[in-house]
Amino acid sequence: MAEQVREKPFILHFLTTEKHFSPFDANMASDAGYDSIFTYNNVTLDEITSLVQDAIFSRGPRGVWRTGIFIGGRDMDLAMEMMGKAKKTMFPPFQVSLFADPSGAFTTGAALSAYVFSICRDKLVTNMKGKRVVVFGATGPVGGCASIMCAKEGADVRLVAHSNVEKTAQLAEKYSATYDVTLSCVDGTSDAKKAAIIADAEILLCCASAGVRVISTEMLKNAKGLLIAADVNAVPPSGIEGLDAMSDALPIKGAEWALGLGALAIGSRKYNLQKKMFQMMLDSETSVELDFLSAYDVARKLI
């Protein structure tokens, strides 16, 4: 009797620029179905080629598409550079799946942006084209991703400079050129300036650091044109005063004319999105490449 051929296990190589790999991402990959997860810490850009070559040449035609590389870390731009270098290292038939999601920022930004899009469409019966979107925490990876995704929908996106206007303006210019969008920078270096920015906004995204109150009820009181406010900070105090972490498009306390998207409501969508993307790598019988723009495409389909 012919010996039965055993399928090769699903292997994920987890690369991070940090001292430690993310337990959250490791849990997600394991629960999605990976049989083995191997981790590589403190990875630098110039090490990507050798690591990828080691991963692609050892498993044969069927094993290669049952192999994935996950790129973590904390830097959006570096993760994209690493992914680009990994792509250039591979060639048919030696191509494994790639998924970049540093600090979960790509899937968080995509889930947030798709959530806002769905509220515009389903509750406000409109779209994002021309909507004035202001992003606090835009120099971080979640805010940067969300800014680009909203701009792709045709929104008028403004990156709020909390401390360094020049740095934020340079980032807006860089992302505009790299991703073929139009982003601008606005000066939010004082409470009065932040209040003026919010007063002119239709959509407010708060993507600042966890546990930091960025926007007060006082700043919201004159924002009569505000339609949606979203906060990704689940650690008390909330980034936006009056916006409950569980809020699923409910009125904001103190600014009841606007719909609030809370951190945990965004987080549940992020969880489902990241799980789906890991499953896409497992289910495909060919290699797939997943970055923050493809994350947004998937998030749009999930809604």
Side-chain angles (χ1 to χ4, degrees):
M1 184 172 65
E3 183 180 353
Q4 185 176 6
V5 177
R6 186 175 70 89
E7 286 284 15
K8 293 181 181 293
F10 288 100
I11 293 176
L12 182 70
H13 298 285
F14 189 147
L15 315 182
T16 179
T17 58
E18 300 299 302
K19 178 181 178 181
H20 301 293
F21 65 93
S22 163
F24 184 101
D25 294 331
N27 289 348
M28 293 292 292
S30 180
D31 288 347
Y34 276 99
D35 300 301
S36 298
I37 301 171
F38 299 100
T39 59
Y40 310 79
N41 301 344
N42 298 311
V43 176
T44 60
L45 181 61
D46 60 6
E47 293 174 321
I48 291 295
T49 297
S50 60
L51 288 170
V52 172
Q53 285 176 342
D54 270 2
I56 66 178
F57 289 137
S58 61
R59 306 200 72 200
R62 289 190 65 78
V64 77
W65 60 261
R66 295 168 75 88
T67 306
I69 293 176
F70 181 86
I71 299 172
R74 294 193 177 278
D75 189 305
M76 170 182 169
D77 296 326
L78 182 55
M80 292 297 286
E81 284 187 75
M82 287 182 162
M83 188 163 185
K85 197 161 189 177
K87 288 180 185 179
K88 291 179 181 178
T89 301
M90 300 188 298
F91 52 89
F94 301 106
Q95 293 169 295
V96 302
S97 290
L98 301 173
F99 180 13
D101 194 15
S103 292
F106 288 2
T107 46
T108 301
L112 166 62
S113 303
Y115 192 10
V116 171
F117 172 87
S118 71
I119 297 303
C120 285
R121 181 192 64 189
D122 300 335
K123 288 189 175 291
L124 304 178
V125 196
T126 185
N127 56 44
M128 295 180 67
K129 188 174 179 60
K131 294 289 188 297
R132 296 184 299 281
V133 177
V134 296
V135 185
F136 288 80
T139 57
V142 175
C145 292
S147 298
I148 294 164
M149 294 168 192
C150 290
K152 289 284 187 182
E153 292 290 351
D156 174 8
V157 181
R158 305 162 187 186
L159 280 57
V160 180
H162 173 68
S163 59
N164 191 323
V165 177
E166 183 179 359
K167 176 185 174 182
T168 306
Q170 290 173 348
L171 190 67
E173 185 177 347
K174 175 183 176 181
Y175 286 163
S176 295
T178 302
Y179 299 105
D180 191 27
V181 295
T182 300
L183 303 173
S184 61
C185 168
V186 288
D187 184 348
T189 54
S190 70
D191 286 352
K193 290 177 179 178
K194 286 195 286 186
I197 291 167
I198 295 167
D200 187 48
E202 293 174 286
I203 297 173
L204 164 60
L205 306 182
C206 186
C207 305
S209 300
V212 177
R213 172 65 50 77
V214 178
I215 297 162
S216 66
T217 302
E218 181 68 18
M219 294 176 189
L220 291 172
K221 69 179 184 180
N222 292 322
K224 299 303 183 181
L226 190 64
L227 302 173
I228 299 169
D231 180 15
V232 301
N233 171 29
V235 179
S238 61
I240 301 176
E241 187 175 9
L243 176 49
D244 188 89
M246 294 294 293
S247 178
D248 188 358
L250 298 175
I252 300 169
K253 185 178 180 181
E256 287 80 6
W257 57 87
L259 300 177
L261 312 184
L264 295 182
I266 296 166
S268 67
R269 289 162 171 82
K270 175 264 191 316
Y271 174 90
N272 291 332
L273 174 59
Q274 189 174 16
K275 179 179 179 182
K276 175 65 176 177
M277 293 178 75
F278 273 125
Q279 289 174 336
M280 287 170 63
M281 296 170 74
L282 291 163
D283 294 342
S284 176
E285 295 197 4
T286 185
S287 61
V288 297
E289 298 171 354
L290 304 171
D291 59 13
F292 77 94
L293 292 174
S294 49
Y296 185 58
D297 290 338
V298 177
R300 283 279 304 271
K301 292 174 183 175
L302 288 178
I303 63 172

CSV table of all heavy atoms in Angstrom, one decimal, residues 49-78:
chain,number,residue,atom,x,y,z
A,49,THR,N,16.7,40.2,3.9
A,49,THR,CA,17.0,39.3,2.8
A,49,THR,C,17.5,37.9,3.2
A,49,THR,O,16.9,36.9,2.7
A,49,THR,CB,18.1,39.9,1.9
A,49,THR,OG1,17.6,41.2,1.4
A,49,THR,CG2,18.5,39.0,0.7
A,50,SER,N,18.4,37.8,4.1
A,50,SER,CA,18.9,36.5,4.5
A,50,SER,C,17.8,35.7,5.3
A,50,SER,O,17.7,34.5,5.1
A,50,SER,CB,20.1,36.6,5.4
A,50,SER,OG,19.9,37.4,6.6
A,51,LEU,N,17.0,36.4,6.1
A,51,LEU,CA,16.0,35.7,6.8
A,51,LEU,C,14.9,35.1,5.9
A,51,LEU,O,14.5,34.0,6.0
A,51,LEU,CB,15.3,36.6,7.9
A,51,LEU,CG,16.2,36.9,9.1
A,51,LEU,CD1,15.5,38.0,9.9
A,51,LEU,CD2,16.4,35.7,10.0
A,52,VAL,N,14.5,35.9,4.9
A,52,VAL,CA,13.5,35.5,3.9
A,52,VAL,C,14.1,34.4,3.1
A,52,VAL,O,13.4,33.4,2.8
A,52,VAL,CB,13.1,36.7,3.1
A,52,VAL,CG1,12.1,36.2,1.9
A,52,VAL,CG2,12.3,37.7,3.9
A,53,GLN,N,15.3,34.5,2.7
A,53,GLN,CA,15.9,33.4,1.8
A,53,GLN,C,15.9,32.1,2.6
A,53,GLN,O,15.6,31.0,2.0
A,53,GLN,CB,17.3,33.8,1.4
A,53,GLN,CG,17.4,34.8,0.3
A,53,GLN,CD,18.8,35.2,0.0
A,53,GLN,OE1,19.7,35.0,0.8
A,53,GLN,NE2,19.0,35.9,-1.2
A,54,ASP,N,16.2,32.1,3.9
A,54,ASP,CA,16.2,30.9,4.7
A,54,ASP,C,14.8,30.3,4.8
A,54,ASP,O,14.6,29.1,4.9
A,54,ASP,CB,16.7,31.2,6.1
A,54,ASP,CG,18.2,31.0,6.2
A,54,ASP,OD1,18.8,30.7,5.2
A,54,ASP,OD2,18.7,31.2,7.4
A,55,ALA,N,13.8,31.2,4.8
A,55,ALA,CA,12.4,30.7,4.9
A,55,ALA,C,11.9,30.1,3.6
A,55,ALA,O,11.0,29.2,3.6
A,55,ALA,CB,11.5,31.8,5.3
A,56,ILE,N,12.3,30.6,2.4
A,56,ILE,CA,11.7,30.2,1.2
A,56,ILE,C,12.3,28.9,0.5
A,56,ILE,O,11.7,28.3,-0.3
A,56,ILE,CB,11.7,31.3,0.2
A,56,ILE,CG1,13.1,31.7,-0.3
A,56,ILE,CG2,10.9,32.5,0.8
A,56,ILE,CD1,13.1,32.9,-1.3
A,57,PHE,N,13.5,28.6,0.8
A,57,PHE,CA,14.2,27.6,0.1
A,57,PHE,C,14.2,26.2,0.7
A,57,PHE,O,14.8,25.2,0.2
A,57,PHE,CB,15.7,28.0,-0.1
A,57,PHE,CG,15.9,29.1,-1.1
A,57,PHE,CD1,16.8,30.1,-0.8
A,57,PHE,CD2,15.2,29.2,-2.3
A,57,PHE,CE1,17.0,31.2,-1.6
A,57,PHE,CE2,15.4,30.3,-3.1
A,57,PHE,CZ,16.3,31.3,-2.8
A,58,SER,N,13.4,26.0,1.7
A,58,SER,CA,13.5,24.7,2.5
A,58,SER,C,12.3,23.8,2.4
A,58,SER,O,12.4,22.7,3.0
A,58,SER,CB,13.9,25.0,3.9
A,58,SER,OG,12.9,25.8,4.5
A,59,ARG,N,11.2,24.2,1.8
A,59,ARG,CA,10.0,23.5,2.1
A,59,ARG,C,9.3,22.9,0.8
A,59,ARG,O,8.3,22.2,0.9
A,59,ARG,CB,8.9,24.4,2.8
A,59,ARG,CG,9.5,25.0,4.1
A,59,ARG,CD,8.3,25.4,5.0
A,59,ARG,NE,7.7,24.3,5.6
A,59,ARG,CZ,6.4,24.3,6.1
A,59,ARG,NH1,5.7,25.4,6.0
A,59,ARG,NH2,5.9,23.2,6.6
A,60,GLY,N,9.8,23.1,-0.4
A,60,GLY,CA,9.2,22.6,-1.6
A,60,GLY,C,8.0,23.3,-2.0
A,60,GLY,O,7.5,24.2,-1.3
A,61,PRO,N,7.4,23.0,-3.2
A,61,PRO,CA,6.3,23.7,-3.8
A,61,PRO,C,5.1,23.9,-2.9
A,61,PRO,O,4.5,24.9,-2.8
A,61,PRO,CB,6.0,23.0,-5.0
A,61,PRO,CG,7.3,22.3,-5.4
A,61,PRO,CD,7.9,21.9,-4.1
A,62,ARG,N,4.7,22.8,-2.2
A,62,ARG,CA,3.5,22.9,-1.3
A,62,ARG,C,3.8,23.5,0.0
A,62,ARG,O,3.0,24.2,0.6
A,62,ARG,CB,2.9,21.5,-1.1
A,62,ARG,CG,2.2,20.9,-2.4
A,62,ARG,CD,1.4,19.7,-2.1
A,62,ARG,NE,0.3,19.9,-1.2
A,62,ARG,CZ,-0.8,20.5,-1.6
A,62,ARG,NH1,-1.0,20.9,-2.9
A,62,ARG,NH2,-1.8,20.6,-0.8
A,63,GLY,N,5.0,23.3,0.5
A,63,GLY,CA,5.4,23.8,1.8
A,63,GLY,C,5.5,25.3,1.7
A,63,GLY,O,5.3,26.0,2.7
A,64,VAL,N,5.9,25.8,0.6
A,64,VAL,CA,6.2,27.3,0.5
A,64,VAL,C,4.9,28.1,0.7
A,64,VAL,O,5.0,29.2,1.3
A,64,VAL,CB,6.9,27.6,-0.8
A,64,VAL,CG1,6.0,27.6,-2.0
A,64,VAL,CG2,7.7,28.9,-0.7
A,65,TRP,N,3.8,27.7,0.2
A,65,TRP,CA,2.6,28.5,0.4
A,65,TRP,C,1.9,28.2,1.8
A,65,TRP,O,1.0,28.8,2.2
A,65,TRP,CB,1.6,28.3,-0.7
A,65,TRP,CG,1.0,26.9,-1.0
A,65,TRP,CD1,1.4,26.1,-2.0
A,65,TRP,CD2,-0.1,26.3,-0.3
A,65,TRP,NE1,0.7,24.9,-2.0
A,65,TRP,CE2,-0.2,25.0,-1.0
A,65,TRP,CE3,-0.9,26.6,0.8
A,65,TRP,CZ2,-1.2,24.1,-0.5
A,65,TRP,CZ3,-1.9,25.7,1.2
A,65,TRP,CH2,-2.0,24.4,0.5
A,66,ARG,N,2.5,27.2,2.5
A,66,ARG,CA,2.1,27.0,3.9
A,66,ARG,C,3.0,27.6,4.9
A,66,ARG,O,3.0,27.3,6.1
A,66,ARG,CB,2.0,25.5,4.2
A,66,ARG,CG,0.9,24.8,3.3
A,66,ARG,CD,1.0,23.3,3.3
A,66,ARG,NE,0.5,22.7,4.6
A,66,ARG,CZ,-0.8,22.4,4.8
A,66,ARG,NH1,-1.7,22.5,3.9
A,66,ARG,NH2,-1.1,21.8,6.0
A,67,THR,N,3.8,28.6,4.4
A,67,THR,CA,4.8,29.3,5.2
A,67,THR,C,4.4,30.8,5.1
A,67,THR,O,4.1,31.3,4.0
A,67,THR,CB,6.2,29.2,4.6
A,67,THR,OG1,6.5,27.8,4.5
A,67,THR,CG2,7.2,29.9,5.5
A,68,GLY,N,4.4,31.5,6.2
A,68,GLY,CA,4.1,32.9,6.3
A,68,GLY,C,5.1,33.7,7.0
A,68,GLY,O,5.8,33.1,7.9
A,69,ILE,N,5.3,34.9,6.7
A,69,ILE,CA,6.2,35.9,7.4
A,69,ILE,C,5.3,37.0,7.9
A,69,ILE,O,4.6,37.7,7.1
A,69,ILE,CB,7.3,36.3,6.5
A,69,ILE,CG1,8.3,35.2,6.2
A,69,ILE,CG2,8.1,37.5,7.2
A,69,ILE,CD1,9.4,35.5,5.2
A,70,PHE,N,5.4,37.3,9.2
A,70,PHE,CA,4.7,38.4,9.8
A,70,PHE,C,5.7,39.4,10.2
A,70,PHE,O,6.7,39.1,10.9
A,70,PHE,CB,3.9,37.9,11.0
A,70,PHE,CG,3.1,39.0,11.7
A,70,PHE,CD1,1.8,39.3,11.2
A,70,PHE,CD2,3.6,39.7,12.8
A,70,PHE,CE1,1.1,40.3,11.8
A,70,PHE,CE2,2.8,40.7,13.4
A,70,PHE,CZ,1.6,41.0,12.9
A,71,ILE,N,5.5,40.7,9.8
A,71,ILE,CA,6.4,41.8,10.2
A,71,ILE,C,5.7,42.7,11.2
A,71,ILE,O,4.7,43.3,10.9
A,71,ILE,CB,6.8,42.6,8.9
A,71,ILE,CG1,7.5,41.7,7.9
A,71,ILE,CG2,7.6,43.8,9.3
A,71,ILE,CD1,7.7,42.3,6.6
A,72,GLY,N,6.3,42.7,12.4
A,72,GLY,CA,5.7,43.5,13.5
A,72,GLY,C,6.6,44.8,13.7
A,72,GLY,O,7.0,45.4,12.8
A,73,GLY,N,6.8,45.1,15.0
A,73,GLY,CA,7.6,46.3,15.4
A,73,GLY,C,6.7,47.4,15.7
A,73,GLY,O,5.5,47.2,16.1
A,74,ARG,N,7.1,48.6,15.6
A,74,ARG,CA,6.3,49.8,16.0
A,74,ARG,C,6.4,50.9,15.0
A,74,ARG,O,5.7,51.9,15.1
A,74,ARG,CB,6.8,50.3,17.4
A,74,ARG,CG,6.6,49.4,18.5
A,74,ARG,CD,6.7,50.0,19.8
A,74,ARG,NE,6.5,49.1,20.9
A,74,ARG,CZ,5.2,48.9,21.4
A,74,ARG,NH1,4.2,49.4,20.8
A,74,ARG,NH2,5.0,48.0,22.4
A,75,ASP,N,7.1,50.7,13.9
A,75,ASP,CA,7.3,51.8,12.9
A,75,ASP,C,6.7,51.4,11.6
A,75,ASP,O,7.0,50.5,11.0
A,75,ASP,CB,8.9,52.0,12.7
A,75,ASP,CG,9.2,53.2,11.9
A,75,ASP,OD1,8.7,53.3,10.8
A,75,ASP,OD2,10.0,54.0,12.4
A,76,MET,N,5.7,52.2,11.2
A,76,MET,CA,4.9,52.0,10.0
A,76,MET,C,5.8,52.0,8.8
A,76,MET,O,5.8,51.1,7.9
A,76,MET,CB,3.8,53.1,9.9
A,76,MET,CG,3.1,53.1,8.5
A,76,MET,SD,1.9,54.5,8.5
A,76,MET,CE,1.5,54.5,6.7
A,77,ASP,N,6.7,53.0,8.7
A,77,ASP,CA,7.5,53.2,7.5
A,77,ASP,C,8.5,52.1,7.4
A,77,ASP,O,8.8,51.5,6.3
A,77,ASP,CB,8.2,54.5,7.5
A,77,ASP,CG,7.2,55.7,7.4
A,77,ASP,OD1,6.2,55.5,6.7
A,77,ASP,OD2,7.5,56.7,8.0
A,78,LEU,N,9.1,51.7,8.5
A,78,LEU,CA,10.1,50.6,8.5
A,78,LEU,C,9.5,49.3,8.2
A,78,LEU,O,10.0,48.5,7.4
A,78,LEU,CB,10.8,50.5,9.9
A,78,LEU,CG,11.9,49.5,10.0
A,78,LEU,CD1,13.0,49.6,8.9
A,78,LEU,CD2,12.5,49.6,11.4
